[in-house]
Amino acid sequence: MKRLKPYTEDFRTAISFLNSSNQRIALFKNYCTVQGLRPRKFGLDMDVRWNSTYLMLKHLLPYKEVFHVFITSNYGSTLLTAQHWYVAEQIMIFLELFYNSTVVLSGVYYPTAPLVLHYMLDMAEHLQNAERDANFRMIATPMKLKFLKYWEKIPLIYSYAFILDPRAKMKGFFNVLELLSKATRCIYSVYYGDVKDKLYRLFAKYEQKFGAVRSQRVSVPSTHTGKTKQAWGMIFGGPGESPIGSPSSSSTPSAVSELKAYLDSDPVTCYEESFGILLWWRDHKLTYPILSIMARDIMSVPASTVSSESCFSCTSRILEDRRRRLLPEHVEMLTCIKDWEQGARREQHTPEELDLDLEEAFKNLFLDEQGKGSGSGGTAGGGPGG
């Protein structure tokens, strides 16, 4: 973002110029109406938050023509050029994957651990493509080195979670490592064997602890749905294509290890977004009584720290100047009750700093809605970061 600051700074200047005058806001509103566009203001980003820069450009680019003409006519000198708009569009396209990944991996109502390898692959290929672009090579190469510094050694928990997604198993895991290897030029052949060996060791510990829960095997038919056809199509070679070389599902958990039977069976091959991994394991807990417990534990590991950070934010609102003599037990009770109430309404973890709320702040700046973006006709520096 520092390398691109000369361009983004000019956009900040232009937006501040528009937002700082009620008269200019009114003129811009009329001009948008004449051009057949819904009038709006634009939020300023925070230069220390790249996601806000993405949102600023995302909402500004659809108004490229009218905004460019208005600023050029009223600013007094040429502030924004065709090169500025080209760079803005490229920045937005480049940051879009990182923004979407952040939003998805910060989710709290679905397992995020099995999604990490999907987005690792997307980012690796994204950076590889950016390296081939002369305009982004100087930016993408250091980013790729930083990416590999943290993610060349894939944490085992995310590999376990990916394998325990019934649409992937070992075949999908092998394929995703092959694709990662091509994108990053890292060798994962040893890692593949290491993951498989440690996965069996982990299951042996679960088997030792929960062996008593094993019940008679009962076959439960599953409803086949999935994540995205495009993501799985990239791994398996086609959205509706079964993995080539997958062993037939003839193993019996009662005769051999549940884990071996699971890995030897055919992956689920329907890839709709409505697929619920936890529901699939719940439906198959009689077939895999111990493995389903292990899968539940692994799937519960979040990919981000949003939940814990939100918990601290919640606690800071409980312990305040007028309530600072609460016992630790009472703080724990109040925190849990508040969390359970929000959970019942599906409203957990939505503090102001989350990207979804940040996007709403940039989105709701239309000038034709009472109370959204218009206020008293526009205030100086209106919008996020103003």
Side-chain angles (χ1 to χ4, degrees), residues 175-202:
N175 289 351
V176 82
L177 290 182
E178 284 284 294
L179 293 169
L180 268 175
S181 182
K182 291 178 182 177
T184 62
R185 298 179 183 176
C186 299
I187 300 174
Y188 289 104
S189 54
V190 175
Y191 178 75
Y192 174 83
D194 191 41
V195 169
K196 188 173 183 180
D197 178 62
K198 290 183 178 178
L199 184 62
Y200 271 94
R201 292 185 186 182
L202 180 63

Short mmCIF file of all heavy atoms in Angstrom, two decimals, residues 175-202:
data_model
loop_
_atom_site.label_atom_id
_atom_site.label_comp_id
_atom_site.label_asym_id
_atom_site.label_seq_id
_atom_site.Cartn_x
_atom_site.Cartn_y
_atom_site.Cartn_z
N ASN A 175 -4.04 -33.61 -4.25
CA ASN A 175 -4.19 -32.70 -5.38
C ASN A 175 -3.94 -31.24 -4.99
O ASN A 175 -3.32 -30.49 -5.74
CB ASN A 175 -5.60 -32.84 -5.97
CG ASN A 175 -5.78 -34.15 -6.71
OD1 ASN A 175 -4.83 -34.89 -6.91
ND2 ASN A 175 -7.01 -34.44 -7.10
N VAL A 176 -4.42 -30.84 -3.82
CA VAL A 176 -4.23 -29.44 -3.41
C VAL A 176 -2.76 -29.17 -3.12
O VAL A 176 -2.26 -28.07 -3.40
CB VAL A 176 -5.14 -29.10 -2.21
CG1 VAL A 176 -4.55 -29.55 -0.89
CG2 VAL A 176 -5.42 -27.59 -2.15
N LEU A 177 -2.04 -30.16 -2.59
CA LEU A 177 -0.61 -29.97 -2.37
C LEU A 177 0.15 -29.89 -3.69
O LEU A 177 1.12 -29.12 -3.82
CB LEU A 177 -0.05 -31.12 -1.52
CG LEU A 177 -0.47 -31.17 -0.05
CD1 LEU A 177 0.21 -32.32 0.66
CD2 LEU A 177 -0.16 -29.84 0.65
N GLU A 178 -0.30 -30.66 -4.68
CA GLU A 178 0.33 -30.58 -6.00
C GLU A 178 0.14 -29.19 -6.60
O GLU A 178 1.08 -28.61 -7.17
CB GLU A 178 -0.30 -31.64 -6.93
CG GLU A 178 0.17 -33.05 -6.67
CD GLU A 178 1.57 -33.28 -7.23
OE1 GLU A 178 1.74 -33.24 -8.45
OE2 GLU A 178 2.49 -33.48 -6.41
N LEU A 179 -1.06 -28.65 -6.48
CA LEU A 179 -1.34 -27.32 -7.02
C LEU A 179 -0.57 -26.23 -6.25
O LEU A 179 -0.07 -25.28 -6.84
CB LEU A 179 -2.84 -27.03 -6.96
CG LEU A 179 -3.71 -27.90 -7.89
CD1 LEU A 179 -5.19 -27.72 -7.56
CD2 LEU A 179 -3.44 -27.56 -9.35
N LEU A 180 -0.48 -26.40 -4.93
CA LEU A 180 0.30 -25.45 -4.13
C LEU A 180 1.77 -25.49 -4.51
O LEU A 180 2.45 -24.47 -4.57
CB LEU A 180 0.14 -25.78 -2.64
CG LEU A 180 -0.97 -25.07 -1.86
CD1 LEU A 180 -1.05 -25.62 -0.46
CD2 LEU A 180 -0.73 -23.57 -1.83
N SER A 181 2.27 -26.70 -4.77
CA SER A 181 3.66 -26.87 -5.16
C SER A 181 3.97 -26.14 -6.47
O SER A 181 5.01 -25.50 -6.62
CB SER A 181 3.99 -28.36 -5.30
OG SER A 181 5.35 -28.55 -5.63
N LYS A 182 3.04 -26.22 -7.42
CA LYS A 182 3.23 -25.53 -8.71
C LYS A 182 3.20 -24.01 -8.53
O LYS A 182 3.94 -23.29 -9.20
CB LYS A 182 2.14 -25.95 -9.69
CG LYS A 182 2.24 -27.40 -10.15
CD LYS A 182 1.09 -27.76 -11.08
CE LYS A 182 1.17 -29.22 -11.51
NZ LYS A 182 0.02 -29.60 -12.37
N ALA A 183 2.36 -23.54 -7.62
CA ALA A 183 2.21 -22.09 -7.44
C ALA A 183 3.34 -21.48 -6.61
O ALA A 183 3.70 -20.32 -6.81
CB ALA A 183 0.87 -21.78 -6.78
N THR A 184 3.91 -22.26 -5.68
CA THR A 184 4.92 -21.71 -4.77
C THR A 184 6.31 -22.29 -4.98
O THR A 184 7.27 -21.80 -4.40
CB THR A 184 4.52 -21.99 -3.31
OG1 THR A 184 4.45 -23.42 -3.09
CG2 THR A 184 3.16 -21.38 -2.98
N ARG A 185 6.40 -23.37 -5.79
CA ARG A 185 7.67 -24.07 -6.03
C ARG A 185 8.23 -24.69 -4.76
O ARG A 185 9.44 -24.84 -4.61
CB ARG A 185 8.70 -23.12 -6.65
CG ARG A 185 8.28 -22.59 -8.02
CD ARG A 185 9.31 -21.63 -8.59
NE ARG A 185 8.86 -21.08 -9.87
CZ ARG A 185 9.53 -20.16 -10.56
NH1 ARG A 185 10.67 -19.69 -10.08
NH2 ARG A 185 9.07 -19.72 -11.71
N CYS A 186 7.35 -25.02 -3.84
CA CYS A 186 7.72 -25.74 -2.63
C CYS A 186 7.40 -27.23 -2.83
O CYS A 186 6.46 -27.57 -3.54
CB CYS A 186 6.96 -25.21 -1.42
SG CYS A 186 7.29 -23.47 -1.06
N ILE A 187 8.16 -28.09 -2.19
CA ILE A 187 7.96 -29.53 -2.33
C ILE A 187 7.22 -30.04 -1.09
O ILE A 187 7.68 -29.85 0.04
CB ILE A 187 9.31 -30.26 -2.50
CG1 ILE A 187 10.03 -29.75 -3.75
CG2 ILE A 187 9.10 -31.77 -2.57
CD1 ILE A 187 11.43 -30.29 -3.92
N TYR A 188 6.09 -30.71 -1.32
CA TYR A 188 5.25 -31.17 -0.21
C TYR A 188 5.13 -32.70 -0.14
O TYR A 188 4.26 -33.20 0.57
CB TYR A 188 3.84 -30.56 -0.33
CG TYR A 188 3.80 -29.08 -0.05
CD1 TYR A 188 3.69 -28.15 -1.08
CD2 TYR A 188 3.87 -28.62 1.25
CE1 TYR A 188 3.64 -26.80 -0.82
CE2 TYR A 188 3.83 -27.26 1.53
CZ TYR A 188 3.72 -26.36 0.49
OH TYR A 188 3.68 -25.01 0.76
N SER A 189 5.97 -33.41 -0.86
CA SER A 189 5.86 -34.88 -0.87
C SER A 189 6.11 -35.47 0.51
O SER A 189 5.40 -36.37 0.96
CB SER A 189 6.83 -35.47 -1.90
OG SER A 189 8.15 -35.01 -1.66
N VAL A 190 7.12 -34.95 1.22
CA VAL A 190 7.41 -35.44 2.58
C VAL A 190 6.29 -35.02 3.53
O VAL A 190 5.88 -35.80 4.40
CB VAL A 190 8.77 -34.90 3.06
CG1 VAL A 190 9.02 -35.30 4.51
CG2 VAL A 190 9.89 -35.41 2.16
N TYR A 191 5.80 -33.80 3.35
CA TYR A 191 4.73 -33.30 4.22
C TYR A 191 3.48 -34.16 4.10
O TYR A 191 2.80 -34.43 5.09
CB TYR A 191 4.43 -31.84 3.86
CG TYR A 191 3.31 -31.23 4.67
CD1 TYR A 191 3.50 -30.85 5.99
CD2 TYR A 191 2.04 -31.04 4.10
CE1 TYR A 191 2.47 -30.28 6.72
CE2 TYR A 191 1.02 -30.47 4.83
CZ TYR A 191 1.23 -30.10 6.14
OH TYR A 191 0.21 -29.56 6.87
N TYR A 192 3.16 -34.60 2.88
CA TYR A 192 1.98 -35.43 2.65
C TYR A 192 2.05 -36.70 3.50
O TYR A 192 1.09 -37.05 4.20
CB TYR A 192 1.89 -35.78 1.16
CG TYR A 192 0.78 -36.75 0.82
CD1 TYR A 192 -0.53 -36.32 0.63
CD2 TYR A 192 1.05 -38.12 0.69
CE1 TYR A 192 -1.54 -37.21 0.31
CE2 TYR A 192 0.03 -39.02 0.37
CZ TYR A 192 -1.25 -38.56 0.18
OH TYR A 192 -2.25 -39.45 -0.13
N GLY A 193 3.18 -37.39 3.46
CA GLY A 193 3.34 -38.62 4.24
C GLY A 193 3.32 -38.34 5.72
O GLY A 193 2.79 -39.13 6.52
N ASP A 194 3.90 -37.21 6.13
CA ASP A 194 3.95 -36.85 7.54
C ASP A 194 2.56 -36.59 8.08
O ASP A 194 2.22 -37.01 9.20
CB ASP A 194 4.83 -35.60 7.70
CG ASP A 194 5.16 -35.30 9.16
OD1 ASP A 194 5.44 -36.26 9.90
OD2 ASP A 194 5.14 -34.12 9.55
N VAL A 195 1.72 -35.90 7.30
CA VAL A 195 0.35 -35.61 7.72
C VAL A 195 -0.44 -36.91 7.89
O VAL A 195 -1.14 -37.10 8.89
CB VAL A 195 -0.35 -34.69 6.71
CG1 VAL A 195 -1.85 -34.61 6.99
CG2 VAL A 195 0.25 -33.29 6.76
N LYS A 196 -0.31 -37.79 6.93
CA LYS A 196 -1.05 -39.06 6.99
C LYS A 196 -0.63 -39.87 8.22
O LYS A 196 -1.49 -40.42 8.93
CB LYS A 196 -0.82 -39.86 5.72
CG LYS A 196 -1.69 -41.10 5.61
CD LYS A 196 -1.55 -41.76 4.25
CE LYS A 196 -2.49 -42.96 4.12
NZ LYS A 196 -2.37 -43.60 2.79
N ASP A 197 0.66 -39.94 8.47
CA ASP A 197 1.17 -40.70 9.62
C ASP A 197 0.67 -40.11 10.93
O ASP A 197 0.19 -40.83 11.82
CB ASP A 197 2.70 -40.71 9.57
CG ASP A 197 3.30 -41.44 10.76
OD1 ASP A 197 3.04 -42.66 10.90
OD2 ASP A 197 4.03 -40.82 11.56
N LYS A 198 0.74 -38.78 11.06
CA LYS A 198 0.32 -38.14 12.31
C LYS A 198 -1.19 -38.16 12.48
O LYS A 198 -1.68 -38.16 13.62
CB LYS A 198 0.86 -36.70 12.35
CG LYS A 198 2.37 -36.66 12.52
CD LYS A 198 2.91 -35.25 12.63
CE LYS A 198 4.41 -35.26 12.85
NZ LYS A 198 4.99 -33.91 12.93
N LEU A 199 -1.92 -38.19 11.37
CA LEU A 199 -3.38 -38.30 11.46
C LEU A 199 -3.77 -39.65 12.05
O LEU A 199 -4.66 -39.74 12.90
CB LEU A 199 -4.01 -38.12 10.08
CG LEU A 199 -5.53 -38.10 10.03
CD1 LEU A 199 -6.11 -36.95 10.83
CD2 LEU A 199 -6.02 -38.03 8.57
N TYR A 200 -3.09 -40.72 11.64
CA TYR A 200 -3.34 -42.04 12.19
C TYR A 200 -2.97 -42.09 13.67
O TYR A 200 -3.66 -42.73 14.48
CB TYR A 200 -2.58 -43.11 11.41
CG TYR A 200 -3.34 -43.66 10.22
CD1 TYR A 200 -3.18 -43.14 8.95
CD2 TYR A 200 -4.26 -44.70 10.39
CE1 TYR A 200 -3.89 -43.62 7.86
CE2 TYR A 200 -4.97 -45.20 9.31
CZ TYR A 200 -4.79 -44.67 8.05
OH TYR A 200 -5.50 -45.16 6.98
N ARG A 201 -1.87 -41.43 14.03
CA ARG A 201 -1.47 -41.41 15.44
C ARG A 201 -2.51 -40.67 16.29
O ARG A 201 -2.83 -41.11 17.41
CB ARG A 201 -0.12 -40.71 15.59
CG ARG A 201 1.05 -41.49 14.99
CD ARG A 201 2.36 -40.78 15.31
NE ARG A 201 3.49 -41.41 14.63
CZ ARG A 201 4.74 -41.01 14.77
NH1 ARG A 201 5.02 -39.98 15.56
NH2 ARG A 201 5.72 -41.62 14.12
N LEU A 202 -3.00 -39.57 15.77
CA LEU A 202 -4.03 -38.83 16.49
C LEU A 202 -5.29 -39.66 16.66
O LEU A 202 -5.88 -39.69 17.75
CB LEU A 202 -4.35 -37.53 15.75
CG LEU A 202 -5.42 -36.63 16.38
CD1 LEU A 202 -4.98 -36.14 17.75
CD2 LEU A 202 -5.73 -35.44 15.47
#
